[in-house]
Amino acid sequence: MVVGILTVHSQINYGAILQTYALQNILEKKGYKVVVLDRIMDKKTGPLLGAISNGGFLCWMRILVRGSIGLWDFAEIKRRIKSHLFIKKHLNLSSFKFNNWVDAPVDIGVDLLVLGSDQIWNTKHHDPHVFLLDGAPRLPAITYAASFGTKDIDVKYEELFKERIHSFDDISVREEYAKDILKRFNVNAIRVMDPTIAVSTDIWDQFVKKRKGKSSLVCYLIAKPSYDQILLLQEFAIKNSCVVKIFVGSLYQAMPKRIDEWKEYLNYLSISFSKYIKFAVSHSPKDFVDAFANADYVITSTFHGLMFASIFRKQVRVLKEPFEDNLAGFRRLHEFINYYMNGDVVQYSFKDALDSIFSGEKICYKEDEIQLNREKSINWLGEAVKKAVDRVVR
């Protein structure tokens, strides 16, 4: 039997790519042939260069000039190339690409669809029609660890959810509050673990190199840290004789526009030559895994930053400060912490997080809870796939 995964796999985002790889691995270990449906999230932009591909001649001239004087643009493109090479090598992509179901062939070559994980139903980020199978071939379908990413769905999609949500044979979600959203549509969903931490941890070993050199602190953040925060990190690194590795988002989207932004950007560049601060601008997904595996400490404000810190049982601190205007976005991190961790994981600011680490405060993982829910999650997926197929056979 061929199982098709439909998720957010083609964005240049470490968590999106790695959760797809993890779910593929889980299904393959259950004996299924797995195909990742190669959906391009936005057909108006190139999958490799994203918004840059629509920038025109002047945009490309700026990239060439900026790159030639060391302003990281080439490193950003290098990261994109590395990410797509990882996708090509490690994901079993379908022979066709599509954006909407109308672009897909009538026979998509799978017997069952598994949708998720990640924020497939985040209506602030994208139109949910594709992930609600509107216009899709009639196939048995389930979701695994589907997420909304926000406290609720956009009101304009209420009717679409009401009409389409019952297309699924079984539904599992990643967060507890997602169950509450679905109850409005008379759906009783089950909460399961994100595939990155539900999968056997040995799948990540192939990407991990033996560490050489100093201890390290990894930062993976929603927004790039301010220059003042960088100085705090450098001070911490000097005191602890360690290297700070900072993972940043899309450089193109964060390019400076005002004079004050340029000043801070140039300060970033100047400090990037420090032996203590390293900006992970061109890292591939496997480099990302390796960095977390070899880290001594992690500071993050992202969900998958927390996942990979937890996979490798790191001393992690989660920042609440970036979520002041989006507490719903913080819930998915806080929920995981409450279920599986003990200690002062949540810190309000960078300074608080660094002080907590420097003081030697330890956080502990609830190993029994993690193992129990990992098994429950994997078992649920196997049973849901089997039930969905059996219904069709009967």
Side-chain angles (χ1 to χ4, degrees), residues 79-292:
R79 173 192 168 187
R80 289 175 173 272
I81 292 171
K82 285 181 176 180
S83 293
H84 277 277
L85 289 175
F86 182 94
I87 290 169
K88 291 285 187 184
K89 181 177 180 179
H90 294 285
L91 300 185
N92 304 327
L93 299 177
S94 61
S95 58
F96 62 91
K97 296 179 183 290
F98 75 112
N99 173 248
N100 291 309
W101 285 112
V102 68
D103 308 320
V106 175
D107 182 1
I108 61 173
V110 304
D111 302 301
L112 174 138
L113 287 170
V114 177
L115 281 76
S117 171
D118 224 356
Q119 299 179 36
I120 60 170
W121 288 332
N122 187 329
T123 55
K124 288 188 176 182
H125 285 179
H126 43 248
D127 183 327
H129 281 80
V130 170
F131 290 117
L132 285 170
L133 304 180
D134 190 19
R138 293 180 66 99
L139 289 168
I142 65 171
T143 72
Y144 181 81
S147 175
F148 289 90
T150 57
K151 65 179 179 180
D152 211 341
I153 59 176
D154 192 313
V155 65
K156 69 182 178 182
Y157 294 119
E158 284 271 348
E159 284 302 313
L160 177 66
F161 270 86
K162 184 177 180 180
E163 176 187 335
R164 298 297 311 168
I165 198 66
H166 295 282
S167 304
F168 297 96
D169 295 83
D170 262 310
I171 293 177
S172 66
V173 292
R174 198 174 67 184
E175 291 92 22
E176 194 70 29
Y177 66 84
K179 293 167 61 176
D180 298 331
I181 294 174
L182 291 173
K183 281 178 182 176
R184 297 211 310 267
F185 306 107
N186 297 316
V187 172
N188 290 316
I190 185 171
R191 180 182 61 84
V192 294
M193 298 181 89
D194 187 83
T196 56
I197 196 165
V199 73
S200 174
T201 55
D202 59 11
I203 75 158
W204 306 119
D205 292 344
Q206 63 183 302
F207 305 128
V208 179
K209 302 170 188 174
K210 187 175 181 180
R211 185 171 75 180
K212 298 177 182 178
K214 296 180 178 180
S215 60
S216 66
L217 164 64
V218 167
C219 295
Y220 184 34
L221 311 164
I222 289 177
K224 63 176 183 165
S226 69
Y227 184 61
D228 288 341
Q229 290 170 333
I230 293 291
L231 293 179
L232 283 173
L233 289 169
Q234 181 168 253
E235 181 184 356
F236 175 87
I238 292 171
K239 285 181 179 178
N240 292 275
S241 189
C242 73
V243 173
V244 176
K245 185 170 284 189
I246 302 171
F247 284 85
V248 296
S250 170
L251 288 174
Y252 179 76
Q253 294 174 355
M255 285 296 102
K257 298 176 180 63
R258 304 191 310 269
I259 292 177
D260 59 327
E261 290 178 344
W262 268 106
K263 181 180 178 181
E264 183 168 274
Y265 189 60
L266 292 172
N267 282 333
Y268 260 62
L269 287 174
S270 67
I271 209 167
S272 69
F273 294 102
S274 160
K275 65 179 180 179
Y276 295 104
I277 304 293
K278 304 298 178 186
F279 292 91
V281 181
S282 60
H283 277 45
S284 69
K286 66 179 183 180
D287 296 329
F288 175 87
V289 175
D290 178 66
F292 275 80

Side-chain angles (χ1 to χ4, degrees), residues 264-376:
E264 183 168 274
Y265 189 60
L266 292 172
N267 282 333
Y268 260 62
L269 287 174
S270 67
I271 209 167
S272 69
F273 294 102
S274 160
K275 65 179 180 179
Y276 295 104
I277 304 293
K278 304 298 178 186
F279 292 91
V281 181
S282 60
H283 277 45
S284 69
K286 66 179 183 180
D287 296 329
F288 175 87
V289 175
D290 178 66
F292 275 80
N294 283 306
D296 295 278
Y297 318 103
V298 174
I299 296 177
T300 189
S301 55
T302 73
F303 181 80
H304 281 108
L306 177 59
M307 290 303 98
F308 278 91
S310 300
I311 288 165
F312 296 111
R313 303 298 195 267
K314 299 301 176 179
Q315 288 298 308
V316 60
R317 301 298 185 269
V318 172
L319 297 179
K320 189 174 183 181
E321 187 177 24
F323 295 97
E324 280 299 284
D325 298 323
N326 180 24
L327 291 179
F330 182 68
R331 286 175 66 184
R332 60 184 180 272
L333 288 88
H334 197 246
E335 196 174 275
F336 182 89
I337 292 165
N338 282 343
Y339 277 119
Y340 303 117
M341 305 170 81
N342 283 319
D344 293 328
V345 182
V346 177
Q347 300 291 327
Y348 181 75
S349 69
F350 246 103
K351 186 176 185 309
D352 294 338
L354 291 170
D355 287 346
S356 174
I357 292 172
F358 186 71
S359 71
E361 293 179 27
K362 298 292 184 183
I363 63 101
C364 299
Y365 292 87
K366 302 176 184 177
E367 298 293 347
D368 290 344
E369 285 294 318
I370 291 173
Q371 187 57 34
L372 177 63
N373 282 282
R374 175 182 281 143
E375 292 173 2
K376 283 183 177 179

Side-chain angles (χ1 to χ4, degrees), residues 51-67 73-74 252 255 262:
I52 297 175
S53 62
N54 281 347
F57 177 76
L58 288 178
C59 173
W60 280 101
M61 286 301 296
R62 283 196 298 271
I63 290 171
L64 289 173
V65 172
R66 292 161 57 84
D73 296 65
F74 291 163
Y252 179 76
M255 285 296 102
W262 268 106

